[in-house]
Structure formats: C-alpha cells, structure tokens
Amino acid sequence: MDRKTTGIVAYLTWVGLLIALIVGDREGAKFHLNQALVIWLAGLLSIIPIIGWIWGIFCFVCAVIGFIGAINGEEKEVPLLGQFKLLK
C-alpha cells in the first residue's frame, strides 16, 4: 500500500490499523499510523459510563478529522490527542 492508502486504512477500524501496520508503508504514513493508534487506544476509555461515552464521541470526531486529513494528504494533529507519539 502507498502512503496515502495506509493513512486512510489506519483510521477505519482496529483491523484497518493492524493491516496498515503490517502491510502498509510504515515510514511514509508514520504520522497517521501514530495518530490512529493514539485515538483508538484513547477510545478504550469510552467503556466508562456517561463520561466515557462523551469521551468516545470526542475520539470518534478525532478519528473523522484524522481520516479527512489522510484523504487530503495533510499531516494535521487532532485536538488533545495529537501531541502524543507512540511510534518512533
């Protein structure tokens, strides 16, 4: 997969993120892979009742923002979560 496709697939689901990490262009799409990983891990907190649900909606919005950025080929950080770097 090329850089743009890898970035797009990473935001779709957990499975998409794993496929992007294994098969995709890891170096070219490192920014979007990192963003998607942080968003999906932060989304795990949505299992907490009420507050977690609001957090889950926020994470979904961040995923949509990242997905649109990947489609446009931009490397724009998502709010709050974009500053965390898990992949080096």
Side-chain angles (χ1 to χ4, degrees):
M1 284 190 288
D2 66 338
R3 177 179 183 261
K4 186 174 182 179
T5 305
T6 302
I8 293 169
V9 170
Y11 289 105
L12 294 179
T13 62
W14 275 102
V15 176
L17 179 61
L18 290 176
I19 290 171
L21 281 170
I22 295 169
V23 181
D25 179 14
R26 293 174 75 189
E27 288 304 312
K30 186 181 284 187
F31 176 81
H32 289 293
L33 288 171
N34 184 65
Q35 292 263 115
L37 180 61
V38 169
I39 291 168
W40 289 115
L41 288 175
L44 292 175
L45 294 174
S46 65
I47 62 171
I48 301 169
I50 302 172
I51 294 173
W53 300 334
I54 296 168
W55 181 253
I57 292 169
F58 172 73
C59 288
F60 176 76
V61 170
C62 286
V64 170
I65 291 170
F67 181 73
I68 292 170
I71 289 173
N72 293 332
E74 301 172 349
E75 291 188 356
K76 190 168 40 173
E77 291 183 349
V78 295
L80 276 166
L81 300 175
Q83 62 190 348
F84 296 105
K85 306 289 185 242
L86 297 178
L87 300 175
K88 295 191 185 222

